[in-house]
Amino acid sequence: MIKTIATAPIDGQKPGTSGLRKKVPVFQAPHYVANFVQSIFDSLEGFKGETLVVGGDGRYFNREAIQIVLRMAAANGFGRIVVGQGGILSTPAASNLIRALKAFGGIVLSASHNPGGPDGDFGIKYNIGNGGPAPEKITDAVFARTKTIDRYLTLDTPDLDLDAVGTTSLGGATVEIVDPVTAYAALMEKLFDFAAIRTLFASGFTMRFDAMSAVTGPYATEILERRLGAAPGTVLNGTPLPDFGGHHPDPNLVHAKHLLDLAFSKDAPDLCAASDGDGDRNLVIGRGQFVTPSDSLALLAANAHLAPGYARGIAGIARSMPTSGAADRVAEKLGVTCYETPTGWKFFGNLLDAGLATICGEESAGTGSDHVREKDGLWAVLLWLNILAARRESVRDIVRQHWATYGRNYYSRHDYEEVASEGANAMMADLRKALPTLPGRRFGDLVVAAADDFAYHDPVDGSDSKAQGIRVLFEGGSRIVFRLSGTGTAGATVRIYIERFEPDPAKHDRDPQDALADLITIAGDISGLARHTGRTAPTVIT
Ligand code: VG1
Ligand code: CO
C-alpha cells in the first residue's frame, strides 16, 4: 500500500524566519510539496505511531497540500493525524492542539500575512512537540535534506473529506477531523475573565475586529460575539477565503488603514483590532489612539496580572532585538529579566519552556505568552479586553499613563520591499565592514556609542545565532537597526528600525516620523541605502 516515489532534489530555499515560503505555482510544481514534507520527516526521529497535527490558514492550495501531507504522514508511520475541519487551524490554535494532544509535532500550511490566491504566496512550517516553530537545528537539517532527497513515501488513496468531523483510517493511521475552534476557545476561557469582559460589552463597550477574510474569522465570531456577547457585526470579514477577498491579510497601517480611519472618526468604537492571515499577529487601536506593537507588549506585560491566567505575575519578558525597549522598562520595574532574542518566534520557545519568560513580543505585531508557543493575535486582543474590563479606562488614557510612568519609546520601522537582492546584500556587507569605524562618530547631536552585528546565545540550550542584524546604538539610548527580511518571496526586503526614548511627558505628543526624523536621515547616510538600492522612500512605514 505504501508507495515509494523516486524524486530529485528541489530548490528548497533555506526556511526563513518562519518556515518555507514561496509563490503558489512553485508549490504546485510536481512533487514540490512532497519533497519538502519528506525532507521534514527525514529530519525527525522517533515519530512512529505518534500524533501529528495538521492545518492551515485556508489560503489557496491549502486543501490540496493537506491531502498530500495526510497521505505522506500515514505512509511515513505517524499513528494519528489530527486535522482542523476544512483544513483550518490558526497558527496559535495549531500550537495549542500540539500541546494539548501531546503530539509529536505539527505541520502548519500558511504564508502568514502574505497575500494568497493562485499568484499569491503559500508556505509550510514544521512545529515541534512544545507547539513552537522548529529550531534552527531542525530547519537546517530539512534544508540540507531537500538538496539530497531522492524518494518520498505516500499512499495510493483517494482524498479524504476534510469537512466531515470524525475519525477515519488512512493506511495504518487514523485521521481525526476536529472543530478548529473548540480547544482554543476553552484555553482562552481559562486565561481571561470572560464574565468581566461580558459585563464590559453589556455596558455598551463597542468594538470592531477585522479578520481580513483570513483564519481568525471563526475564532473571533465564536469568542467575541457568541461567548462574550459583543454585538453581531463586531467581527468584520469573518469568513476565511482562499484569496482573502483579494486583500493583503496584514494588519498594518497600510493594509488595515480603514480601521485606523474608523478609530479616528467621530463614530469610532472603543476598540478596533485585526489579525493576519494565520491569526498570530494583532493590531490594536483605541478610539483616537494607535498602539504600536512594541508599546502593546510593554502595556500587556505591565497589566497582565489583571487577567486570571497571569494573576500570579510574570516570570520574565522576551522581545526580539529590533522591538523597542519599552518592555525593558516594564521588566525593570517588575524586577524581572527582559530577554533580547533574534527576530522570529522560534527563539522564544526555549525561554518559555524553561519558565524564564511569560510574555513575549515582536515589533511586527506579534505578542504572546507561555499559553502556546506561537504569537497569538486573538489572545492579545482578549488580554487588552480583560485589561479594559478591569481598569474601565480608555485605551488612550491607559497608553498615556503608561508613557507618563515609563517614558515614551518613539519607534518606527521602514520597509523597502522587493529590492534587488544584490544591492541589499551589498548594503549589509558594507555596513558590517563599517562597524568598527562607527563608535564615536558624531551625527549632529547624536554620537554613536556602539555598533555590532547582533548575536544571540541561547541561555537554555547554549546554541549561538550570529549575524541577526546590524545595531547602531547612540548615546542616550537611541537606536537604528538594519536587517533583511527572512519571510519575503520576491527579491529582498530591507527593514530599518528606528527608536528614540523620550522621558518628558510634555513631549509625548509628537508624530513619530517627526520625532525620529534626524535618526531616519542618519540611517540613510550610514547605510548608503539609496546608492545600493536606488530607493529613496520606504514601501511601508509602521
Ligand atoms: C517577519 C517579522 C518577524 C516575524 C516574522 C514571522 O519576519 O519581522 O518579527 O516573526 O515575520 O511572522 P522578517 O524576517 O520578514 O522580518 V508571521 O505572522 O509571517 O509568522
Ligand atoms: Co502570521
Side-chain angles (χ1 to χ4, degrees):
M1 181 104 165
I2 296 173
K3 291 199 302 181
T4 303
I5 312 277
T7 188
I10 51 169
D11 162 26
Q13 174 202 40
K14 195 171 162 59
T17 329
S18 201
L20 178 74
R21 288 186 196 171
K22 287 195 177 275
K23 296 279 174 206
V24 165
V26 175
F27 280 99
Q28 287 171 319
H31 309 304
Y32 190 88
V33 170
N35 276 346
F36 188 68
V37 171
Q38 188 66 51
S39 298
I40 295 174
F41 294 155
D42 287 350
S43 307
L44 305 174
E45 263 170 39
F47 57 78
K48 289 272 178 293
E50 299 280 328
T51 301
L52 182 75
V53 170
V54 181
D57 62 10
R59 69 177 59 223
Y60 188 85
F61 198 57
N62 190 45
R63 285 171 180 264
E64 291 86 340
I66 287 180
Q67 299 287 355
I68 297 171
V69 172
L70 294 182
R71 287 189 194 96
M72 291 184 62
N76 275 275
F78 278 97
R80 176 189 183 209
I81 308 155
V82 179
V83 193
Q85 185 184 20
I88 292 287
L89 277 179
S90 76
T91 290
S95 184
N96 178 48
L97 266 191
I98 293 169
R99 297 167 64 76
L101 301 173
K102 299 202 165 35
F104 186 85
I107 289 187
V108 180
L109 296 306
S110 169
S112 191
H113 54 288
N114 296 10
D119 303 314
D121 289 350
F122 193 75
I124 302 182
K125 186 168 79 161
Y126 178 70
N127 282 27
I128 58 175
N130 75 352
E136 282 186 332
K137 199 170 62 154
I138 294 181
T139 55
D140 287 348
V142 174
F143 178 51
R145 184 62 184 145
T146 59
K147 295 196 247 179
T148 59
I149 187 158
D150 55 6
R151 62 92 188 90
Y152 65 86
L153 307 182
T154 187
L155 303 174
D156 201 1
T157 50
D159 282 357
L160 293 185
D161 178 359
L162 299 179
D163 296 307
V165 168
T167 304
T168 43
S169 61
L170 180 66
T174 56
V175 175
E176 285 174 44
I177 313 272
V178 301
D179 179 88
V181 177
T182 310
Y184 179 83
L187 175 63
M188 295 300 119
E189 291 220 24
K190 275 207 301 220
L191 296 175
F192 301 117
D193 188 346
F194 271 38
I197 303 174
R198 259 196 302 275
T199 306
L200 180 73
F201 278 119
S203 73
F205 182 92
T206 54
M207 172 178 185
R208 293 286 179 283
F209 179 92
D210 192 341
M212 304 190 91
S213 305
V215 80
T216 42
Y219 297 88
T221 305
E222 171 64 25
I223 294 172
L224 297 174
E225 295 189 8
R226 298 209 188 97
R227 300 197 187 192
L228 292 172
T234 295
V235 177
L236 310 171
N237 301 310
T239 305
L241 301 174
D243 67 347
F244 306 124
H247 298 295
H248 199 139
D250 187 347
N252 65 19
L253 296 182
V254 174
H255 301 297
K257 174 137 193 322
H258 56 283
L259 279 186
L260 189 72
D261 294 343
L262 177 64
F264 281 82
S265 72
K266 67 173 178 19
D267 303 320
D270 294 294
L271 183 67
C272 289
S275 190
D276 71 331
D278 63 331
D280 56 1
R281 297 188 178 205
N282 73 88
L283 172 75
V284 169
I285 318 175
R287 181 182 290 133
Q289 181 69 57
F290 170 62
V291 189
T292 70
S294 293
D295 276 349
S296 189
L297 170 65
L299 276 148
L300 293 179
N303 291 281
H305 62 277
L306 298 173
Y310 309 93
R312 285 176 306 146
I314 58 175
I317 306 175
R319 65 162 172 87
S320 66
M321 179 274 282
T323 304
S324 97
D328 303 41
R329 298 174 185 280
V330 173
E332 199 185 331
K333 185 149 186 187
L334 293 175
V336 300
T337 303
C338 186
Y339 297 87
E340 186 175 28
T341 60
T343 293
W345 209 261
K346 61 188 169 201
F347 293 102
F348 294 136
N350 282 341
L351 299 172
L352 294 167
D353 284 352
L356 295 173
T358 306
I359 303 249
C360 307
E362 295 192 275
E363 49 66 38
S364 54
T367 341
S369 86
D370 58 0
H371 69 294
V372 290
R373 293 294 179 273
E374 290 276 7
K375 54 189 183 269
D376 189 343
L378 207 44
W379 170 91
V381 172
L382 290 168
L383 181 48
W384 262 103
L385 281 170
N386 196 138
I387 292 164
L388 292 167
R391 287 183 56 167
R392 289 300 183 119
E393 294 165 283
S394 70
V395 171
R396 188 176 167 80
D397 288 347
I398 290 175
V399 169
R400 300 270 149 175
Q401 284 174 43
H402 187 90
W403 289 341
T405 307
Y406 296 92
R408 176 171 182 185
N409 290 69
Y410 279 104
Y411 185 83
S412 184
R413 184 177 98 185
H414 289 198
D415 293 335
Y416 297 80
E417 294 175 347
E418 298 195 27
V419 167
S421 297
E422 302 74 48
N425 290 330
M427 185 191 100
M428 292 302 287
D430 280 5
L431 270 169
R432 292 199 161 95
K433 265 190 252 145
L435 282 175
T437 69
L438 288 174
R441 253 181 85 180
R442 176 178 288 278
F443 298 86
D445 296 345
L446 289 158
V447 180
V448 177
D452 68 1
D453 192 352
F454 183 64
Y456 178 63
H457 179 76
D458 187 309
V460 180
D461 69 14
S463 63
D464 288 293
S465 302
K466 302 213 162 72
Q468 296 294 324
I470 303 291
R471 297 193 291 185
V472 182
L473 311 167
F474 294 86
E475 287 172 8
S478 294
R479 224 170 44 130
I480 304 173
V481 172
F482 303 86
R483 60 178 284 280
L484 299 185
S485 159
T487 59
T489 58
T493 294
V494 177
R495 301 202 198 284
I496 304 183
Y497 312 76
I498 310 122
E499 175 175 4
R500 193 170 82 81
F501 180 64
E502 177 54 72
D504 182 358
K507 297 180 184 159
H508 284 171
D509 279 309
R510 299 180 66 187
D511 178 281
Q513 301 308 314
D514 290 341
L516 298 168
D518 50 349
L519 286 158
I520 293 169
T521 306
I522 296 170
D525 290 350
I526 294 184
S527 62
L529 176 94
R531 178 165 47 88
H532 283 297
T533 67
R535 300 293 179 88
T536 49
T539 325
V540 180
I541 295 180
T542 43

